[in-house]
Amino acid sequence: AALGGKGIIRLSADDPGREGFIVKTVKDANVSYLICGGSTPIGSLYAVYALLEDFCGVGFFEDGDRVPQKKSLDFQDINIAEKPYFPIRQYLQGCALWYTCYYWTFDRWQQELDWMAKRRYNILVMSGSIGSEVIWYKVFKDLGIETTPPTAWNKYQADIRKKVLDYARRIGMEIITAGGEARVPRAFINAYPDSDYITTAVTVSATGIVPGDPMFTKLLVAGMREYNRFYGPSYIYNYDPYAEMRPGSTHAQQQRIKMNYARSVVKAIKQVDPQGRWFASGWAFRDEEYWPSRDVKAFLDIIPSDMFYLSDPIAEIKPLYKKDDYFFGKDWV
């Protein structure tokens, strides 16, 4: 504070900004200081990591840190001020959550999250798989529908997820959570026979509510709210438009389903969180027969650009951004 009052260093809410930081050596009255700081706690954390890596020889690796043994450290003439170039730096995706991370303990998760922070990732993708049974059991129960109760394993997974998300937030990360296409069990169909249902099957088979049916939006809203209540607030919601599925028996029905899906998800997110964002994996768009470029454009045109971004998850192998004209102006990863 004293150095700031003398104008020797300057840190404010806007400078260097939310994730920006400074690492600087200064002198005041013949006393030398080493300053690591930022506008926010996450910026200050990044400053410490930069000092350790760039000036102390520490290596941050996914399987552990390398900390060299030194008797002394000599810092002279350091003057670094950095801000992240990319505001979105996210990590993990749905397949990893299902096939690998699904079996991690909290200690293993903590190791991964610490590595993420050291590598300056700021968004954790932890969408609907881990612990989702607990959420949807409660959603259906609130609608008066008894489904199979969560198992001890499901509850354990939900507890792990809660701890992971709490820890991720503490080290400055945003969370991508929630998701699904309003899939429902048989008990739901029996209780609401007048809703409009579809069965989807390519590599994934499930019964869901047709987008455009009011119950579709109602279930999305209920799911998001329960995720936020149980796991803490999230401001980025993951909804993928029927990846590895081809709902609809005719071209006209397929068109209605896809376009109403976009309208319904936008409506649901705005209802739950007016500032919320929609993240979608572009994996679905690799099915060029079901998602020709004209349909991708029509789908994306429905979604307001300021609340949406998507990823091109196999860009190195099959660059969808080229097929779909850089996603027609939408932000993409």
Side-chain angles (χ1 to χ4, degrees):
L3 296 175
K6 295 179 180 181
I8 296 174
I9 61 169
R10 290 186 176 85
L11 289 172
S12 67
D14 300 321
D15 187 11
R18 180 181 181 275
E19 295 176 321
F21 63 86
I22 64 168
V23 181
K24 189 173 184 179
T25 52
V26 298
K27 282 189 176 182
D28 180 40
N30 295 320
V31 178
S32 296
Y33 297 91
L34 172 64
I35 307 297
C36 295
S39 300
T40 63
I42 188 62
S44 297
L45 181 65
Y46 287 172
V48 173
Y49 288 153
L51 173 72
L52 292 173
E53 190 168 29
D54 296 343
F55 298 97
C56 301
V58 174
F60 298 130
F61 302 98
E62 199 164 3
D63 61 349
D65 299 337
R66 174 192 177 274
V67 182
Q69 301 301 307
K70 295 185 177 183
K71 293 182 178 180
S72 64
L73 294 169
D74 184 19
F75 302 117
Q76 295 183 8
D77 300 325
I78 299 175
N79 188 11
I80 294 176
E82 290 189 10
K83 296 180 181 179
Y85 186 84
F86 294 106
I88 295 171
R89 305 182 306 282
Q90 71 186 46
Y91 182 67
L92 289 179
Q93 46 85 29
C95 288
L97 292 167
W98 272 115
Y99 302 151
T100 303
C101 313
Y102 191 75
Y103 301 99
W104 284 0
T105 62
F106 174 71
D107 289 345
R108 178 65 184 86
W109 269 109
Q110 189 173 23
Q111 175 187 336
E112 197 78 5
L113 291 167
D114 286 340
W115 175 82
M116 286 175 61
K118 291 165 185 172
R119 298 265 56 87
R120 318 295 197 272
Y121 288 108
N122 66 345
I123 297 178
L124 170 65
V125 182
M126 199 169 187
S127 51
S129 55
I130 299 175
S132 61
E133 297 87 355
V134 171
I135 298 299
W136 287 103
Y137 177 77
K138 178 68 164 53
V139 169
F140 292 135
K141 188 173 182 179
D142 288 346
L143 291 170
I145 300 167
E146 282 294 332
T147 57
T148 303
T151 64
W153 171 253
N154 298 150
K155 293 176 182 178
Y156 169 78
Q157 286 278 291
D159 182 61
I160 291 287
R161 180 183 182 127
K162 185 177 289 189
K163 291 177 181 177
V164 167
L165 298 186
D166 287 345
Y167 186 76
R169 292 185 183 100
R170 286 205 302 273
I171 56 175
M173 292 179 193
E174 289 190 80
I175 310 299
I176 297 180
T177 191
E181 288 88 22
R183 301 179 191 180
V184 294
R186 171 56 58 181
F188 187 98
I189 299 171
N190 294 338
Y192 293 93
D194 294 332
S195 290
D196 195 6
Y197 298 97
I198 50 172
T199 298
T200 60
V202 176
T203 58
V204 177
S205 180
T207 298
I209 299 172
V210 176
D213 187 306
M215 184 59 77
F216 182 89
T217 303
K218 182 176 180 178
L219 270 189
L220 296 189
V221 168
M224 278 187 272
R225 285 178 172 162
E226 183 59 20
Y227 269 103
N228 286 345
R229 184 198 68 80
F230 191 83
Y231 290 118
S234 175
Y235 308 103
I236 310 175
Y237 303 91
N238 177 204
Y239 288 95
D240 294 340
Y242 297 109
E244 301 186 21
M245 306 179 197
R246 292 182 177 181
S249 56
T250 67
H251 177 70
Q253 187 184 30
Q254 291 172 354
Q255 290 296 99
R256 286 195 301 271
I257 288 170
K258 288 185 284 189
M259 302 312 140
N260 282 335
Y261 184 94
R263 296 184 185 98
S264 298
V265 174
V266 168
K267 181 179 178 180
I269 291 175
K270 286 185 175 295
Q271 187 172 331
V272 171
D273 181 359
Q275 303 304 314
R277 287 181 286 167
W278 174 6
F279 164 71
S281 166
W283 184 256
F285 300 151
R286 61 191 279 276
D287 183 351
E288 296 185 51
E289 183 177 341
Y290 191 78
W291 282 102
S293 286
R294 65 179 181 277
D295 287 3
V296 174
K297 183 179 188 305
F299 179 88
L300 295 178
D301 282 348
I302 292 169
I303 308 168
S305 294
D306 62 356
M307 68 169 294
F308 179 82
Y309 71 101
L310 75 161
S311 69
D312 190 350
I314 52 170
E316 299 91 339
I317 301 168
K318 185 178 181 179
L320 300 176
Y321 68 88
K322 293 183 178 180
K323 172 181 85 76
D324 295 325
D325 195 16
Y326 297 86
F327 300 112
F328 307 100
K330 290 292 189 286
D331 287 343
W332 61 282
V333 180

